[in-house]
Amino acid sequence: MKTNLPTWDLTHLYSSIKAVELKDDLSTAKELAQNFAKAYQGKLATLDGKGFAASLEAYEQMEDILGRVISYAQLQYSSDNTDAAIGQFYQNMQEEITDLSSLILFYTLEINKLEDEVLEGFFKEEAAAKYRPWVMDVRVHRPYQLSEEMERLLHEKSVSGKRAWNRLFDETMAGLRFPLQGKEVTISDVLDKMSSKEGAERKEAAKSFGGVLGENIRLFSLITNTLAKDKATEDQWRGLERPISSRNLSNLVEDEVVDALIGSVKDSYGDLAHRYYGFKAKWFGVDKLDYWDRNAPLPEDDDRKIEWSEAKDTVLTAYNAFDGEMAQIGQRFFDENWIDVPPRAGKDSGAFAHPVTPSAHPYILLNYHGKVRDVMTLAHELGHGVHQVLAADQGPLMADTPLTLAETASVFGEMLTFRSMLDKESDEKRRRIMLAGKVEDMLNTVVRQVAFCDFERQVHDERKKGELTPDRLGEIWMSVQTESLGPAFRYEDEYKHFWAYIPHFIHSPFYVYAYAFGDCLVNSLYDVFQNGHEGFQGKYRDMLAAGGSKRHKELLAPFGLDASDPDFWKRGLNVVSGFIDDLEDVI
């Protein structure tokens, strides 16, 4: 595979980490924040509708500047978090932004102190009413808000608290090297080898991966215990009884809706993961699969490498067949260097699409190794990117989408690409391989992520009673993995350490269920599309363009869908089950 893979151009934001324009933006933001505090702190209740609208517009202007600065720092850091100068810059920017945002922290706290009738009076002014969705989302946290002094203390200490532990995790993980085939390789490279065509390579990679994690397990356990205790303390002060509730509030989704999703997926473990991996063991001619065979290509898969140019054309063609406007937006990521593709030492090992801020544009990070899964990852992240571009017109306060809905466009992009590739494939063997690959991706997105969520639930619940030992963390991990993946697997001792590399546990507790939410939602949505729903493409674009200005009930209503209906989740899971049925017919 060619090595001249494209990298992103961050000079669209600032020319360098020492850029004069970056320092100017920080200076401007500081002046704006100081003036904002003088004008509005302690005075919101005395404003009229026009005054409140002006305050919202001024607040949004500051958020845009601060978002641009911290996004640039985050993107630089994700490019190479082993570079000391970049690490120093990232930390300094976090501290700068925290100090500046502390000056305006009062604003959302005071919004939550306003009486409902006062707000309704403000919203009679059209310029203020525009921001109603954002204001009401802020007020979701009203019952759990602490005093202004306490909120400011938590905010300012986050730099030396949980964010410092996040950084320790990132830099430790990026610095790890794994012995493989006589070399010391990065985490991205060793994970790639765990889906190799060769069983011996998968085994060596898995053993090396688990072994190195085991050598560092005390540190990863300390990080996990510390952050779980930190979260428990804050949740207790806020009056949140369940560890997952703070995530649900941020996602603007009701506890009972998430409970219904998780319950539906767990009830389907047997029909989905257990059944599929039982078939996979038969394809491999064994009674049980070794754990390193979970993502192994099927025996008849030629495991060919896909050139980057082919991957790009495949995804854009699929997008264009669905909607030309989405494809045009997607093309910009390639034409304007908004995407960073090659794996390299020090780079974040996964993939993401960063929205930056609406006045700029998103960026995508990949680690492309030329496998079908990498093509699907491109389709996934490009979906995020297109979503972020379409939602930008909502402005800095309302462009961001809750995590549950943020995964909609990404998973839908994957489905479009998969269906396009499947329709073009005439060889039945290749179609079967592609279908199996899609099932595995869906199991990784639905079953595996819900199992991750279950792991987090048990860890956070037990942490309230005291620190968990590395062995106990490993026991919980093995329990949820065995329950979710089923009896088709054989595990070895080092697998108990695999929980330690999941970054979402560290950065965003309970983020993981959003993947399952998005996959099941998209399965239901795609089912509506396949059934010829009139005007689907236009309604879909409108849904993405709404950003965070509408809740899931409003967004899904035009398609006749309701996520609060238990049958909604069954409908999505039935799509996965149907794919497995198709595979069963050809065994």
Side-chain angles (χ1 to χ4, degrees), residues 49 52 114-125 128-129 132 135-136 139:
F52 187 59
L114 295 173
E115 297 297 330
D116 291 342
E117 55 268 25
V118 173
L119 269 180
E120 289 306 317
F122 289 165
F123 289 144
K124 291 177 182 177
E125 176 66 38
R132 177 192 282 270
V135 172
M136 301 316 292
R139 286 171 72 84

Side-chain angles (χ1 to χ4, degrees), residues 8 10 17 69-94 163-175 340 344-349 352 354 365 507:
W8 54 29
L10 298 182
I17 62 176
V69 172
I70 196 61
S71 295
Y72 177 69
Q74 290 168 340
L75 292 169
Q76 285 282 5
Y77 186 66
S78 65
S79 298
D80 186 358
N81 50 39
T82 60
D83 184 297
I86 291 176
Q88 180 188 45
F89 169 70
Y90 180 50
Q91 180 66 20
N92 289 343
M93 288 304 99
Q94 286 193 95
R163 278 193 258 170
W165 288 98
N166 289 170
R167 181 182 173 189
L168 175 61
F169 172 84
D170 290 341
E171 294 190 4
T172 301
M173 195 62 71
D340 193 277
R344 58 179 178 269
K347 180 180 176 180
D348 275 4
S349 61
F352 63 71
H354 195 307
L365 179 141
H507 290 281

Side-chain angles (χ1 to χ4, degrees), residues 334-398:
F334 305 100
D335 293 346
E336 301 179 35
N337 299 109
W338 298 356
I339 187 166
D340 193 277
V341 178
R344 58 179 178 269
K347 180 180 176 180
D348 275 4
S349 61
F352 63 71
H354 195 307
V356 187
T357 190
S359 65
H361 57 76
Y363 281 95
I364 289 175
L365 179 141
L366 302 174
N367 280 274
Y368 189 79
H369 293 277
K371 296 187 176 180
V372 172
R373 281 194 174 92
D374 294 319
V375 180
M376 291 299 146
T377 300
L378 170 60
H380 181 103
E381 301 304 341
L382 195 64
H384 278 308
V386 169
H387 191 177
Q388 290 158 359
V389 170
L390 285 170
D393 286 345
Q394 296 292 340
L397 296 186
M398 292 184 290

Side-chain angles (χ1 to χ4, degrees), residues 292-313:
W292 52 78
D293 292 329
R294 183 174 58 83
N295 285 327
L298 296 186
E300 55 194 0
D301 191 346
D302 58 14
D303 197 30
R304 75 178 182 92
K305 297 294 184 183
I306 301 171
E307 294 287 349
W308 171 249
S309 58
E310 182 183 348
K312 179 181 72 172
D313 291 345

Side-chain angles (χ1 to χ4, degrees), residues 167-319:
R167 181 182 173 189
L168 175 61
F169 172 84
D170 290 341
E171 294 190 4
T172 301
M173 195 62 71
L176 294 181
R177 294 296 178 266
F178 303 86
L180 192 67
Q181 299 174 344
K183 300 178 181 178
E184 296 287 319
V185 304
T186 66
I187 185 173
S188 178
D189 290 330
V190 76
L191 289 173
D192 178 59
K193 288 297 183 184
M194 286 171 63
S195 57
S196 167
K197 176 73 173 175
E198 300 300 324
E201 287 188 357
R202 295 195 300 273
K203 179 177 180 179
E204 183 186 2
K207 289 281 191 180
S208 176
F209 187 62
V212 172
L213 290 179
E215 292 167 4
N216 294 272
I217 203 65
R218 289 185 63 190
L219 174 58
F220 292 130
S221 298
L222 174 60
I223 293 171
T224 299
N225 271 289
T226 302
L227 289 171
K229 179 62 176 177
D230 180 80
K231 176 174 169 49
T233 301
E234 185 169 332
D235 284 353
Q236 184 177 11
W237 275 89
R238 294 190 183 283
L240 293 162
E241 294 184 6
R242 299 174 60 190
I244 199 172
S245 293
S246 58
R247 177 61 58 197
N248 295 347
L249 285 169
S250 298
N251 286 344
L252 303 175
V253 62
E254 301 79 7
D255 282 353
E256 55 268 25
V257 171
V258 177
D259 290 344
L261 163 67
I262 292 172
S264 295
V265 174
K266 292 188 72 172
D267 288 345
S268 299
Y269 280 170
D271 183 49
L272 302 181
H274 298 190
R275 188 159 64 107
Y276 172 77
Y277 290 121
F279 297 156
K280 188 167 186 176
K282 290 181 181 179
W283 292 329
F284 274 76
V286 296
D287 293 328
K288 282 183 177 289
L289 294 164
D290 291 302
Y291 76 84
W292 52 78
D293 292 329
R294 183 174 58 83
N295 285 327
L298 296 186
E300 55 194 0
D301 191 346
D302 58 14
D303 197 30
R304 75 178 182 92
K305 297 294 184 183
I306 301 171
E307 294 287 349
W308 171 249
S309 58
E310 182 183 348
K312 179 181 72 172
D313 291 345
T314 297
V315 173
L316 288 176
T317 298
Y319 274 52

Side-chain angles (χ1 to χ4, degrees), residues 536-554:
F536 183 93
Q537 281 88 338
K539 292 179 182 179
Y540 180 73
R541 278 199 311 275
D542 289 344
M543 180 177 74
L544 300 187
S549 66
K550 294 181 179 180
R551 302 287 182 87
H552 62 86
K553 287 186 178 181
E554 296 174 273

